[in-house]
Amino acid sequence: MLYQFPPHFYWGSAASATQTEGAAAQFGKGDNIWDHWYQQEPNRFYQGVSPQQTSTFYQHFRDDIGLMKAINHNSFRTSISWSRLIPDGTGEVNQQAVAFYNQMIDELIAQGIEPFLCLFHFDMPLAMQNIGGFENRKVVAAYAYYAQTCFTLFGDRVKHWFTFNEPVVTVEGGYLYNFHYPNVVDFRRAATVAYHTILAHAEAVKRYRKLALGGKIGIILNLTPSYPRSDNEADRLASFHCDLLFNRSFLDPAVKGAYPRELIELLDHYHQLPEIELGDCRLIEQGKVDMLGINYYQPRRVQAKLHAVNHTNPFMPEWLFDEYRMPGCKMNPHRGWEIYEKGVYDILINLRDNYDNLPCYISENGMGVEGEEKFLHNGQIQDDYRIDFIREHLKWVHRAIEEGSTCFGYHMWTFIDNWSWCNAYKNRYGFYRLDLATQQRSLKKSGEWFAQTAKHNGFADLATGEQSWI
Ligand code: BG6
């Protein structure tokens, strides 16, 4: 069977500024929440590895872009570090950062790699967090200024922009489940942050359009599908609520320009609505995106509550559903996550049918492996498991495209093994292995497979179970 992708399909990988650049306290960069939190609580970071110890992209970006080219990337997504570009969050622009990002963009383009740039990948400048982060509307204005600065500086060459990466994760991590700074557990504050994030997103979209730079703007969402345990009405309602809170809370305003009525009613019922100001609805409507990036790793399975909720506890999403571990599901045992390849197809078909088939691409898909060094043989990581993972997901992406999805690309998380927030270097995802001691990069077997697939714009599955390229 041939899996040939449409012409001009984007093949590449994704990374982010704070996770790769390093030079966290150099070249004029201000602190962000990760620098600060590490100083406060280094124990919260896997093996105490700090955001200073990343894969040195700031120094090695030219060589690294050469490595992208070597595996036939025609696109690459990273982010701009707000606290590098504008160290205080608002005000003075750091000219060293401007020079760095200009060189990076120019090098990508020179190598035939289309830059996809995201403006915010979990890394709030500390100066902005100190005035409340996205709980404070002043930070919405500061973000809009930062976005406009980026468009003005780099928009002549960058034609794919994204306002946020997985904004719901910032909300979950920082304001519900205590795995990001500022470690708050409070649903109403979480709802406020989510709401102001959408306002910030919409302000950026509005400003981008006004500048008429001829590119496209979107947002990257982790659209983890919610699958109910059964067809039973109670299970289906649990899954509906989960979808509402974790997917549609960003998807609907970003694509349809309005929040789902059911979400507003739900939050109102539990007294969790954020404060809304005159003009907000109009602004959100103006924030409708041109395209969507989809991050997909694993499905979410849910069931109706097994026990009564204790209403004296603070309101949490888990008042509405329980997680469900499906017996016998396929697992990535190295990360403890379920592998459900069809999930990516379900997302694309949902977008086709319910979201006007908006142009979209897979902005992250990936397989994290703890202890991956055990697969190092003859100097190479033999990650056949990752090749299977990518190939099986690509088959479903291919099928969705055949059935009318407008998916225009596929990016893997990630390019070189990188530092990942509290998990630091625990789970490896890269096409290239990073030797932490020497900073040497070496291509994994999956990188070779991906290079061939990108080169041939697809792959073939032979009847024997072997593969070849077209
Ligand atoms: C993605 C994020 O969801 O997951 C990345 O966008 C992150 O920033 C990646 O690094 C992997 O996470 P983890 O926890 O498995 O290392």
Side-chain angles (χ1 to χ4, degrees):
M1 164 90 187
L2 281 182
Y3 295 92
Q4 181 82 68
F5 285 80
H8 313 298
F9 198 70
Y10 282 113
W11 298 98
S13 54
S16 84
T18 298
Q19 294 181 265
T20 59
E21 286 177 4
Q26 289 174 284
F27 309 108
K29 179 177 161 296
D31 276 354
N32 63 33
I33 53 171
W34 297 94
D35 304 309
H36 174 74
W37 189 22
Y38 186 81
Q39 284 155 24
Q40 304 300 306
E41 289 189 283
N43 52 297
R44 298 290 300 267
F45 295 73
Y46 181 70
Q47 293 180 338
V49 181
S50 78
Q52 304 267 2
Q53 295 157 273
T54 68
S55 38
T56 60
F57 187 67
Y58 195 91
Q59 280 87 9
H60 295 119
F61 72 93
R62 282 189 206 283
D63 294 340
D64 285 350
I65 292 170
L67 296 177
M68 289 172 203
K69 172 103 180 141
I71 55 170
N72 300 318
H73 275 28
N74 60 10
S75 47
F76 173 66
R77 181 205 12 143
T78 187
S79 62
I80 293 178
S81 158
W82 182 358
S83 59
R84 187 182 295 289
L85 192 72
I86 306 176
D88 293 329
T90 184
E92 194 114 345
V93 173
N94 170 14
Q95 291 308 322
Q96 293 182 85
V98 176
F100 168 67
Y101 289 117
N102 269 330
Q103 288 169 27
M104 178 192 83
I105 292 164
D106 290 345
E107 185 66 24
L108 283 166
I109 293 171
Q111 298 297 340
I113 299 167
E114 182 81 23
F116 286 25
L117 277 191
C118 179
L119 296 172
F120 190 101
H121 195 125
F122 304 168
D123 50 357
M124 179 66 83
L126 183 61
M128 295 291 96
Q129 192 62 50
N130 285 345
I131 60 166
F134 277 127
E135 283 187 79
N136 182 348
R137 273 192 180 238
K138 281 195 179 138
V139 175
V140 173
Y143 171 89
Y145 163 75
Y146 156 64
Q148 175 149 349
T149 306
C150 292
F151 303 147
T152 312
L153 287 168
F154 313 118
D156 56 335
R157 286 151 293 154
V158 177
K159 299 300 172 196
H160 291 81
W161 288 98
F162 298 92
T163 54
F164 286 88
N165 174 75
E166 300 187 350
V168 78
V169 170
T170 308
V171 175
E172 291 173 44
Y175 298 87
L176 283 176
Y177 303 117
N178 189 2
F179 62 89
H180 282 196
Y181 193 79
N183 315 102
V184 169
V185 178
D186 183 322
F187 192 98
R188 186 147 190 274
R189 291 174 67 182
T192 301
V193 168
Y195 182 60
H196 288 171
T197 302
I198 276 294
L199 296 182
H201 156 84
E203 275 290 356
V205 171
K206 196 172 109 183
R207 287 174 189 228
Y208 185 69
R209 298 237 163 88
K210 210 164 172 194
L211 288 167
L213 291 162
K216 289 187 164 45
I217 189 157
I219 189 166
I220 289 166
L221 302 178
N222 47 317
L223 295 179
T224 308
S226 307
Y227 296 103
R229 169 183 59 176
S230 76
D231 245 4
N232 177 286
E233 205 180 312
D235 282 341
R236 282 198 283 118
L237 184 63
S239 139
F240 175 81
H241 281 145
C242 193
D243 191 43
L244 209 48
L245 289 172
F246 292 108
N247 294 324
R248 295 183 60 198
S249 53
F250 283 95
L251 180 62
D252 282 37
V255 178
K256 298 186 170 176
Y259 279 97
R261 183 183 41 81
E262 297 93 330
L263 180 62
I264 299 171
E265 285 170 4
L266 185 78
L267 296 202
D268 190 28
H269 177 78
Y270 288 103
H271 312 292
Q272 304 293 330
L273 274 178
E275 272 178 35
I276 296 161
E277 290 185 8
L278 206 68
D280 285 358
C281 290
R282 172 85 189 104
L283 175 63
I284 293 169
E285 211 191 316
Q286 289 173 300
K288 283 202 259 180
V289 291
D290 303 318
M291 60 175 172
L292 198 63
I294 301 155
N295 293 356
Y296 174 66
Y297 289 85
Q298 57 170 339
R300 196 195 295 265
R301 298 193 186 275
V302 293
Q303 57 188 335
K305 292 296 302 173
L306 296 177
H307 304 287
V309 169
N310 177 354
H311 285 267
T312 61
N313 281 343
F315 176 75
M316 286 292 271
E318 289 69 20
W319 281 28
L320 304 166
F321 57 85
D322 277 343
E323 288 214 3
Y324 172 62
R325 187 46 86 91
M326 189 175 77
C329 61
K330 185 171 169 183
M331 292 295 290
N332 164 9
H334 315 292
R335 180 70 179 83
W337 282 354
E338 182 180 346
I339 298 178
Y340 184 63
E341 298 92 344
K342 181 173 174 284
V344 75
Y345 167 87
D346 291 341
I347 296 172
L348 292 172
I349 295 303
N350 179 35
L351 293 177
R352 183 196 69 184
D353 294 347
N354 300 313
Y355 292 85
D356 263 352
N357 208 6
L358 182 82
C360 63
Y361 85 113
I362 306 303
S363 40
E364 286 180 30
N365 183 213
M367 185 173 178
V369 173
E370 188 177 350
E372 193 164 49
E373 292 293 289
K374 62 177 171 282
F375 297 105
L376 185 64
H377 299 298
N378 301 323
Q380 188 182 48
I381 299 282
Q382 302 296 318
D383 53 346
D384 296 271
Y385 44 82
R386 189 170 284 114
I387 297 174
D388 290 346
F389 181 96
I390 304 171
R391 191 189 53 236
E392 295 311 309
H393 280 86
L394 277 174
K395 287 180 183 173
W396 283 107
V397 172
H398 185 265
R399 177 162 165 188
I401 294 172
E402 282 199 322
E403 292 177 15
S405 158
T406 50
C407 177
F408 60 79
Y410 178 82
H411 280 188
M412 274 291 280
W413 187 269
T414 185
F415 171 51
I416 299 172
D417 291 336
N418 67 26
W419 180 86
S420 187
W421 321 111
C422 291
N423 283 333
Y425 282 101
K426 184 171 163 191
N427 309 307
R428 303 302 187 97
Y429 285 85
F431 284 132
Y432 285 89
R433 163 182 177 250
L434 180 74
D435 183 320
L436 289 189
T438 63
Q439 284 291 317
Q440 253 201 337
R441 289 93 158 106
S442 54
L443 190 60
K444 300 181 190 176
K445 193 172 175 185
S446 61
E448 291 176 351
W449 187 89
F450 192 78
Q452 289 303 317
T453 299
K455 182 173 167 195
H456 297 280
N457 202 29
F459 59 92
D461 245 7
L462 303 180
T464 56
E466 308 249 303
Q467 293 144 53
S468 76
W469 283 275
I470 303 148

